[in-house]
Amino acid sequence: MTTYTDAQAEAIATLDEPLQIIACAGSGKTQVISQRIASILARPGVEPRNVVAFTFTEKAAAELKERILGLVETELGDVTGLAEMYVGTMHGYALDLLQRLVPDTFKFSVLTDITNQLFIDRYSAKSGLTSCPTSSAQGALRRYRNSKLYMQILNVLREDTIDATHVPEGVIESFDKYMTLIDDHALFDYTQMINVAVQYLEGDPYEDDDVVRVQEHVERDIQYVVVDEYQDVNPLQERLVRGLVQFGANLCVVGDDDQTIYQWRGSQVANIVTFADRYAGVKQVTLDDNFRSSRGVVEVGRSVAERIPGGQRLPKSMVAAGHQQWGRGDMLALEFDDPAGEAGWIADRIEAMSGLAFADTPGGDPRGLSWSDFAVLFRSVSNDSEPLVKELRERGIPFIVKGLNKLFDSPEIQAVVGIFEFIVNTIDADALKLMWEDAQLLPVGSDWAKALAVLESGRDFGASKRHAVYNIQRLYLDFLEALDMREDNLPGAPVRRELAFYQLGKFSQVISDYEQIYFTTEPKAKYTGFAQWLRFQAPGYYADADADVGYATPDAVTIATVHQSKGLQWPAVFLPALRQNRFPARVMGGVSMRHVIPDAAIQDPGRYRGTVEDETRLFYVAVTRSQKYLFATWAPIQSNQQQRRRSVFWDHVAAQQWVSTVVSPLLSDRLAPQPRHETPQVTLSFSELKYLFECSYQFKLRFLYGFNAPIHEALGYGKGLHDALAEIHKRALEGDILTKDVAESLIGRHLHTPFAYPTLREQLRSAGVKAVERYFDTHGREIAQTEFSEKQIRVHVAPGITVDGRIDLIRRLDTGETAIVDFKSTERAQAEDVTRDQLHVYAVGYKELTGSSADVIEVLNLDDKGKTTREPVHEPLLEAVRDKIHDAGEALRRNDLPRLPVWDDGRCGSCDLVGLCRERLS
DNA sequence: CACGGCAATTTTTTT
DNA sequence: AATTGCCGTG
């Protein structure tokens, strides 16, 4: 049982008035939020679905979820329906809201940063890019060159509070073009999902049924809203929050204004600072107690925050309340002659401190510090980390660098890029072979001529008129298969083979990104465009292959940016490269937002350019990551005239009484280094689980390495059918029973097949209409017996192992029994030989959701001659299935994911990736 | 104080 | 790519 401070207890107990929790660094805010939510769930009449909690990242959401589930289990025992409590990002929430309640958006898919840029460039005129005026000498924005900037403009216009009278007309016209274009293509970019959700929340109910449905749901179901990291909420997100609490739901915001570090993405400190003025009757609770760090670290952190002018801060005063002891010499501010010397000292210090006694918890047994207890935080990893990386590598100290886009630097990826240079004739076959030899990518005994033949036929663009024949992903997979590319065929040790495969898999993702946008382009243009993109754009986007391998956290020194360190902590933190013009960073030149959107149109335009206060907040975050040891260092770069002076931040740290400027010997006891044990969270979607049960090696290829199946022209058919049926059943729940005559319009609304050529599209459309009509014929009578449609389920199998999924349909049979129904259609069915085990996962989920058991499970095939199977839920199997999921989760953590021992016709035969696994046997 | 040379960051968000 | 602002020099 955790004990709470008075302030914490007060925050936890405040449930009926608007609450603002001002949480200093290390004040145990996640625990407080979790406990507060557990208290909410304990209230009579409150259902989990009444609670919505927002986090900034998915990772933070997973942690919070796990913490809440743990508390609920110990304090309340079995609570049903926990799957319906939303804990996640605002983006995820907005998308989910729309795709549950607004039928017109069911077919929309989401553009990532990368695909969004590809999309804008592909449609450079229609997207408004090349007609968007600037005040710079270059005139309008240019294709490829300015598309990133254009994306930022498009975001700001939606996310920020804009005074449209000051925005040039041409900019507005471009913006309108883009909005029409993404809508025509049924696409959401990240901002758009929130933007559209906000429109429904703020919309006039008299205008449209969907607005009514959304607002009624909010009014009826949402009673408690919690927003974590509130300081980083932008104006559009603030409107989403307002929309959710507009009917009287309780709002609790948690944040620290001093940690506002994403202002260049639209967050505005004023939002958190003036919260109490904007909502009536706000209760403010300040969590001043820092349990994370020693007194010295806390005092230095507080002094940094106090550099921020008062008007921009909420009053607070962080105090040390934890068990870490400050000692003279724990905190140092040092100067070096050059970056190499600085890096050398850091490496020395890490080696010297390894094994130092350190206690994680008050009164807990001390352990020896290990590599993963050290973090080196840079303002700019890409500019400043090189000397340190070199030093650590030479000494054999394990480390992971976050935030570097280095995938394309590796010889392996260069060799793969070579394939496409060969296809478009910029290199010849011999040069290509050389690249593959140099990269050590030729499997033992492979037949190069056979592989080359695949490429030769691939670049014969006259061979077929059907564009889909020139599928880049298929060509890539065929080439690898022709080479007999198997993990165990590659030269080198197992670790290097795994890394090589990881890189090949990442490249498959690169292809997918490009092909999602350019699938239907004329083959020759498509391949030349791809080769160009690989040269000029893609290298800036993709992180090194080993950046995020698997689930196991390695025992390694962390090298990261301050931004990435947010929310994390380490016993020892190094803050190097504290030079003027670096940290605080100087503003950037070039064509920037101000050339497109005048300052007058935006409130507080300075935040997009970066201010000293913003940098100070970032430095505050950096300092407060440390639990005990903190080393601020700097060294001039002689060759760069702007990087020869000390940072004011270094001066600030050096002037603190807690900090020494001369190194003294390390006094603490020595123990054997022992990394802090952390169990990685495993969250599996139902489809991931399906692959994991089916063949764990296929799971590895797909989800860990990243291999993607080739895009199929009919993609979207199964989803469209599915969505049409979902609408039928959702309407039935509202008492609106549809009939056969709407089949045509349902398919019209839901079927979206962006990769199909016109004839195929028409075929799919009529097939879809027939399938829906057939459904009305055979199941029309049962539509009224719908219990749930598209029901979210969550199975918490063991601490840290969760399965998320969605049941298509739950309905009552004439016999009075409850049936769980899973829809299948050709397109979805191909690899989907759903087994009893998998279906029983649904049954387990249903039980966790409602507390009662389903009676039968039905697989309903929507195809012409497809047959429906129905079988009883086998109670004893439910427990066995839980065990099986548990074992699968453990195997994942151990990275124990072998292929099937022998060829299995049912499974291997339909696997898109067998070519990377074993000889085909058919 | 004016001028020319030089070098210019951070990155989250979906199935 | 180019515009912006820092730094050193005159």
Side-chain angles (χ1 to χ4, degrees), chain A residues 20 230-231 255-257 268-275 278 314:
Chain A
Q20 177 173 31
Y230 187 67
Q231 72 281 356
D256 180 359
D257 50 296
Q268 213 175 341
V269 229
N271 191 50
I272 184 168
V273 175
T274 63
F275 177 79
R278 287 179 290 118
L314 288 164

Side-chain angles (χ1 to χ4, degrees), chain A residues 3 46 67 73 109 186 207 228 235 251 264 352 354 384 446 482 486 492 568 593 747 750 760 780 819 840:
Chain A
T3 51
V46 175
R67 198 84 72 92
E73 264 166 35
S109 47
E207 272 168 17
D228 192 11
L251 175 61
W264 39 274
S354 165
D384 293 333
S446 65
R486 312 280 147 67
L568 304 174
M593 223 186 61
I747 286 297
H750 295 293
L760 176 63
H840 275 77

